[in-house]
């Protein structure tokens, strides 16, 4: 079923790791190069920058081509649009398959955009087939259910065929999203969506177990983590899109917003599963940020200071504790950098931080009242003349 | 084949030595598991949150807290932070110096952000520089650059570069140039100066690893400034032509130096610019969609050629 054999996937991962070990000084460059030759595969690949650009351009072309097709045929009714979208989905999927088979593309951007585009087109087509009034907001519930269901099945097919993680995530998200138009009760929709995520989590966790970080365990690990993350987002009622809920459900979810990160972090640490650790740290921060709204307490301007002190304090204390262990490690965990990729990730964050400037007021001064506080259009973390 | 099995086979065949095998296998088995990135993320988010909270608190409660309390507490935190950083700084080197303690990096970042808050508050309350208060930005940027180089800190460098951008924007405002074209001029001047400064420091071998940060920021600012000039009533073609020229240069340099993000910039921005200019005044859907399909396909073919010829996975 899969377009790429297990051996190919394993060799690609081995090649990446060999390159990373050479960069990290664990292997000499010539040794790494000779071993890379041993595991090299006959597939066309490219770097992330070109891959992303190719993905974006192909996606735009696909959308434009489908609309153009509809315009040229003079189509205006939903059923005809549904037919065009269905045909386009098939053509798009077929093209992706052909490019992989004939051009031997692997994560090249073009074939990925076509395959992901096919999922979206299929979902839209199914929704339009389900109701001629698909675009009428008040009657959208049934078509939406059908669209999500078709999208979920289509995305699963794309994942099974090409192994794109994005497709697996879309499949899971669409399956969970079915609950919202399908179930009338607000409690029921949240509970059903969370159950879908939890089910996927357990399936991925069990399937991953025999493989660990080796292929396909690495893919299952990401799916498992996203499912866990999704379950939390659905159950945290104080995130945007919340509202009023029955007393028991409200306080149960409150308890869960604390329990999920704690349990997840425990699992991540026990299995040394990086994505679970990172995701649950983020969830813990979200829990801290939504705690006061949950308790219906007023937020204060010093809350971010307390949160920041807590985050920095935890990091400093944890680092100190690790440094006290033999060879700067405790139970195998170390604060030291082992791979060059870790440094690159932090450097990238440093570059990206140019877009997020802390402690910035506006660039207005008391003598320029026309400029209101809260701007910062020019960027800059510099002094501001107004608070 | 599992990675551990591969490693064992390579060791047996003599391709890798036993110490190499043991070191790598330890990482693969997760006998040693680094939380370097996670700790850095926590420290960064912590510093960001504290700085944001301090700015918010000072803004909301300056009348309750009073100038003395605010300035004293900010000064104490600043002095302690800078003392902490300078007491742990490694000797300066022109090359890359990786800090053995990431806490220093983020305390420095926090101190710089709080320095901005303090200056802003002083001017807000006491109006020391009055109309020329934007020079605080220039002074802050200069300080951040010095600290970024002294501590080899990319976060502070980014802070310095964006603070400098703020000063440029304000200077043009001060001169009364508040039209979009004058802001475009400011952005172009800023981008040119940042690129020139980065090139100069790189040519002098001063922290060469910072060069890419300068180039990414300069390239995006200049491209966006040029793009904003397209689709104007007059001179749109000139800006589109300038985008194509700069884009060609970015693609060439990106390929030569194997920095493919610049190939992406050099493709996307000129494409958008030329497309905006070509489609100006056209409202026919079929024409617009046909243009996107044809031109987009041409760009994809071009990128596939580049990717196959130069852009291997790295």
């Amino acid at each position: 079923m899969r377009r790429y054999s297990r051996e190919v996937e394993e060799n690609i991962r081995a090649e990446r790791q060999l390159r990373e070990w050479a960069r990290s000084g664990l292997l000499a460059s010539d040794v790494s190069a000779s071993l890379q030759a041993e595991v090299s595969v006959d597939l066309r690949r490219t770097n992330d920058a070109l891959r992303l650009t190719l993905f974006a351009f192909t996606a735009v072309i696909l959308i434009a081509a489908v609309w153009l097709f509809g315009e040229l045929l003079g189509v205006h009714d939903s059923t005809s649009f549904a037919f065009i979208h269905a045909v386009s989905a098939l053509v798009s999927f077929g093209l992706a398959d052909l490019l992989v088979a004939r051009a031997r593309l692997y994560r090249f951007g073009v074939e990925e955009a076509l395959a992901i585009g096919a999922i979206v087109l299929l979902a839209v087509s199914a929704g339009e087939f389900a109701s001629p009034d698909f675009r009428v907001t008040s009657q959208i519930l049934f078509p939406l259910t059908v669209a999500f269901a078709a999208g979920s099945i289509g995305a699963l097919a794309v994942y099974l065929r090409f192994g794109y993680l994005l497709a697996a995530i879309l499949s899971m998200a669409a399956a969970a999203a079915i609950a919202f138009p399908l179930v009338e009760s607000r409690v029921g929709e949240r509970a059903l969506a969370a159950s879908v995520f939890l089910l996927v989590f357990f399936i991925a966790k069990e399937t991953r177990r025999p493989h660990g970080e080796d292929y396909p365990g690495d893919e299952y690990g990401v799916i498992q983590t996203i499912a866990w993350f999704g379950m939390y987002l659905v159950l945290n009622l104080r995130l945007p899109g919340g509202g009023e809920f029955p007393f028991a459900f409200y306080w149960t979810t409150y308890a869960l917003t604390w329990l999920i990160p704690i349990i997840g972090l425990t699992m991540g640490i026990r299995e040394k599963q990086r994505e679970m650790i990172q995701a649950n740290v983020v969830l813990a921060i979200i829990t801290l940020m939504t705690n006061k709204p949950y308790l219906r307490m007023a937020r204060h301007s010093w809350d971010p200071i307390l949160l920041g002190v807590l985050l920095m304090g935890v990091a400093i204390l944890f680092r100190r504790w690790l440094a006290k262990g033999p060879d700067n490690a405790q139970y195998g965990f170390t604060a030291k950098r082992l791979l060059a990729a870790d440094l690159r990730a932090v450097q990238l964050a440093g570059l990206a931080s140019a877009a997020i400037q802390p402690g910035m007021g506006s660039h207005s001064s008391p003598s320029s009242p026309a400029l209101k506080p809260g701007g910062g259009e020019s960027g800059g973390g510099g002094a501001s003349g107004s608070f | 084949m599992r990675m551990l099995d591969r490693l064992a086979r390579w060791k047996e065949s003599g391709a890798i030595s036993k110490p190499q095998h043991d070191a790598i296998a330890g990482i693969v088995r997760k006998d040693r598991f680094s939380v370097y990135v996670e700790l850095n993320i926590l420290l960064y988010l912590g510093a960001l949150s504290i700085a944001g909270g301090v700015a918010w608190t000072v803004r909301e409660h300056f009348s309750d807290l009073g100038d003395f309390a605010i300035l004293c507490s900010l000064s104490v935190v600043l002095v302690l932070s800078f003392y902490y950083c300078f007491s742990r700084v490694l000797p300066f080197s022109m090359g890359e110096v990786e800090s053995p303690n990431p806490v220093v990096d983020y305390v420095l970042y926090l101190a710089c952000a709080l320095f901005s808050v303090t200056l802003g508050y002083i001017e807000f309350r006491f109006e020391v520089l009055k109309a020329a208060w934007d020079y605080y930005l220039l002074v802050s940027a200069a300080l951040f650059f010095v600290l970024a180089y002294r501590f080899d800190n990319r976060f502070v460098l980014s802070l310095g570069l964006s603070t400098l951008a703020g000063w440029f924007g304000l200077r043009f405002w001060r001169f009364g140039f508040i039209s979009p074209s004058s802001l475009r001029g400011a952005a172009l001047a800023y981008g040119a100066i940042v690129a020139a400064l980065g090139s100069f420091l790189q040519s002098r071998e001063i922290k060469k690893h910072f060069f890419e940060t300068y180039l990414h920021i300069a390239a995006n600012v200049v491209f966006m400034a040029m793009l904003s000039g397209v689709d104007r009533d007059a001179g749109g073609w000139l800006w589109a032509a300038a985008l194509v020229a700069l884009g060609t240069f970015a693609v060439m340099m990106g390929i030569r130096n194997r920095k493919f993000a610049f190939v992406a910039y050099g493709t996307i921005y000129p494409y958008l610019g030329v497309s905006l200019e070509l489609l100006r005044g056209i409202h026919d859907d079929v024409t617009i969609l046909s243009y996107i399909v044809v031109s987009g396909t041409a760009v994809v073919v071009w990128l596939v050629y580049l990717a196959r010829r130069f852009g291997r996975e790295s």
Side-chain angles (χ1 to χ4, degrees):
Chain A
M1 178 92 183
R2 273 235 177 164
R3 264 293 174 199
Y4 307 106
S5 69
R6 186 191 183 100
E7 188 190 357
V8 160
E9 295 278 13
E10 285 178 344
N11 281 349
I12 287 170
R13 283 156 177 78
E15 193 183 339
R16 282 184 192 144
Q17 282 180 303
L18 283 164
R19 216 164 26 223
E20 182 56 34
W21 294 334
R23 281 192 192 124
S24 309
L26 295 165
L27 281 181
S29 305
D30 54 335
V31 174
S32 171
S34 70
L35 293 175
Q36 281 180 53
E38 192 183 304
V39 296
S40 71
V41 294
D42 177 30
L43 289 173
R44 292 201 174 95
R45 289 175 285 160
T46 190
N47 55 68
D48 289 340
L50 291 183
R51 180 183 168 194
L52 278 172
T53 314
L54 281 165
F55 186 99
F57 269 97
T58 309
V60 170
I61 294 167
L62 183 62
I63 295 165
V66 174
W67 280 358
L68 180 63
F69 197 44
E71 287 286 331
L72 290 175
L73 293 177
V75 169
H76 294 293
D77 62 295
S78 279
T79 311
S80 305
F81 265 121
F83 187 72
I84 287 176
H85 283 131
V87 171
S88 304
L90 280 175
V91 170
S92 191
F93 183 86
L95 270 175
D97 204 54
L98 196 71
L99 283 172
V100 172
R102 295 284 171 84
R104 307 286 295 147
L105 300 186
Y106 182 89
R107 308 299 193 265
F108 208 84
V110 179
E111 83 291 7
E112 292 173 282
L114 287 170
I116 299 297
I119 298 168
V120 178
L121 289 168
L122 177 71
V124 172
S125 166
E128 284 172 331
F129 269 126
S131 167
D133 300 320
F134 183 52
R135 275 162 275 176
V136 179
T137 317
S138 58
Q139 298 171 7
I140 207 167
L141 295 183
F142 176 65
L144 259 186
T145 309
V146 176
F148 284 140
S152 179
I153 294 166
L156 183 64
V158 167
Y159 172 67
L160 294 174
R161 185 69 169 164
F162 303 108
Y164 300 151
L165 272 174
L166 180 57
I169 293 163
L170 284 176
S171 175
M172 176 171 48
I178 291 171
F180 290 90
L182 188 69
V183 181
E184 275 192 32
S185 150
R186 298 192 69 212
V187 172
E189 64 188 23
R190 297 256 173 179
L192 182 61
S195 305
V196 171
F197 280 124
L198 191 62
L199 180 69
V200 175
F201 170 80
F202 278 119
I203 293 171
K205 186 173 164 58
E206 285 309 305
T207 328
R208 176 180 179 272
R209 198 184 295 275
H211 305 286
E213 291 299 321
D214 285 305
Y215 173 82
D218 56 344
E219 286 184 359
Y220 298 148
V222 176
I223 295 170
Q224 174 195 343
T225 304
I226 301 286
W228 188 255
F229 205 94
M231 181 178 69
Y232 175 92
L233 294 183
V234 165
L235 290 174
N236 189 325
L237 306 179
R238 283 295 159 219
L239 290 173
E244 290 306 311
F245 287 85
F247 180 86
F249 184 72
Y250 185 85
W251 291 109
T252 305
T253 59
Y254 174 70
L256 286 171
T257 58
W258 284 95
L259 283 174
I260 290 172
I262 292 169
I263 295 169
L265 203 53
T266 309
M267 282 192 292
I269 289 170
R270 203 173 53 202
E271 296 175 22
K272 291 182 181 166
Q273 192 182 347
R274 188 172 303 285
E275 54 268 28
M276 274 298 275
I277 294 173
Q278 290 179 347
N280 283 287
V281 166
V282 173
L283 293 184
I285 293 171
I286 297 175
T287 293
L288 289 169
M289 290 169 73
T290 54
N291 185 50
K292 276 196 164 181
Y294 242 113
L295 298 172
R296 297 194 170 93
M297 291 166 69
R299 275 182 165 147
H300 298 296
S301 61
W302 53 84
D303 290 344
I305 302 175
L306 298 178
L307 177 67
V309 170
L310 178 72
L311 296 180
M312 290 190 88
V314 166
I316 291 167
L317 290 175
F318 190 55
R319 187 180 164 278
R320 281 194 173 184
W321 177 68
L322 293 175
K324 280 181 186 166
D327 201 16
N328 288 307
Q330 298 270 17
Y331 303 101
F333 288 95
T334 177
K336 281 190 165 183
R337 182 174 64 78
L338 300 177
L339 297 171
D342 294 346
L343 185 61
R344 286 202 301 278
V346 174
Q347 287 173 346
L348 195 64
L351 176 63
S353 74
I356 309 164
Q357 297 303 336
M360 189 177 69
S362 73
H363 296 307
S364 60
S365 72
S367 54
S368 58
L371 306 174
K372 301 285 183 209
E377 296 85 351
S378 309
S384 60
S386 171
F387 278 84
Chain B
M1 183 186 283
R2 295 176 65 219
M3 185 47 75
L4 285 172
D5 300 331
R6 278 184 204 272
L7 284 169
R9 204 186 69 194
W10 288 333
K11 188 182 77 171
E12 280 169 22
S13 68
I16 60 173
S17 63
K18 187 175 183 305
Q20 283 174 330
H21 170 270
D22 292 347
I24 295 170
I27 294 172
V28 173
R29 270 197 311 267
K30 298 182 182 173
D31 294 342
R32 280 178 75 76
F33 185 89
S34 171
V35 287
Y36 174 86
V37 174
E38 289 75 11
L39 289 178
N40 274 273
I41 291 171
L42 280 181
L43 289 167
Y44 174 62
L45 291 178
L48 205 61
S49 189
I50 292 172
V54 168
W56 185 11
T57 304
V58 170
R59 188 173 57 205
E60 292 278 308
H61 300 287
F62 68 89
S63 56
D64 304 331
L65 296 170
D67 296 333
F68 183 77
I70 288 174
L71 288 175
C72 271
S73 46
L74 282 173
S75 303
V76 167
V77 174
L78 273 178
V79 168
L80 288 176
S81 301
F82 282 124
Y83 172 76
Y84 174 82
C85 295
F86 277 99
S87 65
R88 283 160 178 79
V89 67
L90 295 172
F92 178 76
S93 161
M94 300 287 243
E96 188 166 8
V97 180
E98 194 180 345
S99 171
N101 182 1
V103 179
V104 175
D105 292 340
Y106 297 97
V107 170
L108 181 70
Y109 182 64
L110 175 62
C112 289
L114 293 181
F115 178 74
S116 298
V117 174
T118 310
L119 283 189
Y121 186 76
I122 289 170
E123 184 57 32
F124 172 62
R125 297 292 291 160
F126 308 112
E127 297 191 24
V128 181
L129 293 184
K130 294 191 171 66
W133 73 268
D134 54 290
Y135 278 106
Y136 283 126
L137 289 176
L138 191 61
V139 171
S140 301
L143 176 70
F144 298 161
F145 278 116
V146 170
L147 291 171
Y149 276 81
R150 179 63 191 89
F151 286 85
D152 207 326
N153 189 318
R154 276 173 209 260
F155 287 90
V156 176
L157 179 67
S158 292
L159 196 62
L161 285 169
S162 56
T163 305
L164 186 63
W167 182 77
F168 262 86
L170 271 176
R171 286 315 294 168
F172 274 70
W173 237 306
R174 285 262 173 273
F175 289 136
F177 300 143
I178 52 172
S179 68
S181 59
S182 67
L183 282 177
R184 191 178 313 121
L188 289 172
Y190 168 77
I193 287 175
V194 166
L197 183 64
S199 303
F200 172 75
L201 292 167
Q202 195 230 17
S203 69
R204 293 298 172 99
E205 308 241 320
I206 304 171
K207 301 284 180 194
K208 284 169 73 175
H209 54 285
F210 280 172
F211 184 47
E212 212 176 319
T213 303
Y214 282 93
L215 285 188
H216 276 291
I217 290 174
N220 277 295
V221 168
V222 171
F223 272 125
M224 278 194 263
M226 286 181 168
L227 190 59
S228 72
V230 183
D231 204 23
R232 304 278 161 212
D233 289 337
W237 269 114
L238 285 176
W239 287 113
L243 271 169
V244 172
L246 187 65
T248 308
F249 180 69
V251 169
M252 283 166 54
M253 297 312 286
I255 290 171
R256 182 186 290 181
N257 297 299
R258 307 200 62 74
K259 300 292 180 192
F260 288 95
F262 294 94
V263 177
Y265 300 152
T267 304
I268 294 169
Y269 286 111
Y271 176 79
L272 290 175
V274 171
S275 301
L276 280 172
E277 195 56 37
L278 278 174
L279 296 175
R280 192 202 313 186
I282 296 175
H283 303 291
D284 178 42
D285 288 348
V286 173
T287 310
I288 293 170
L289 293 169
S290 303
Y291 169 82
I292 294 172
V293 171
V294 173
S295 63
T297 306
V299 172
V300 167
V301 170
W302 155 248
L303 285 173
V304 168
Y305 167 76
L306 286 183
R308 287 181 60 178
R309 180 111 192 252
F310 308 104
R312 301 280 308 204
E313 189 184 58
S314 55

